[in-house]
Amino acid sequence: GQRDVFLPDAVLEKLERGKPTEYIFGGESPLTKNVLRRKWRDYVEQTGINLTPHQLRHTYATFLYESNVPEKEAQTILGHSSVKVTQDVYTHIRENRKKQTEEKINDYISKLN
């Protein structure tokens, strides 16, 4: 599907500015799947960063969660058919979040004494 997605300032700073009517990648028209695959493969080879565009979607979903974006808004931004897909498939709990949860539990229990 095609949708508008918010890009954080840190990402925008890394991108070349084009015309407001242009695509971020591809200029006047979107990249074809084959061109995207080739460019992504070249990027992985040049940088050594081995991940897929789909993995970036999962990361973005996780960042939405960690930023406390409401689930329904995250579902809409990601274009999922249901909140359940966003929560159960795309959102992951990272180690730092687990540690924060452990601290909350310890804090709560210590106050019971």
Side-chain angles (χ1 to χ4, degrees), residues 51-90:
L51 64 120
T52 67
H54 193 72
Q55 288 170 318
L56 288 177
R57 271 181 66 77
H58 284 258
T59 302
Y60 191 74
T62 300
F63 286 171
L64 290 171
Y65 171 75
E66 290 181 348
S67 300
N68 295 314
V69 171
E71 292 139 346
K72 190 67 179 173
E73 290 177 31
Q75 173 206 346
T76 301
I77 289 167
L78 292 164
H80 293 150
S81 58
S82 71
V83 170
K84 190 163 178 51
V85 170
T86 304
Q87 291 173 329
D88 294 347
V89 178
Y90 280 82

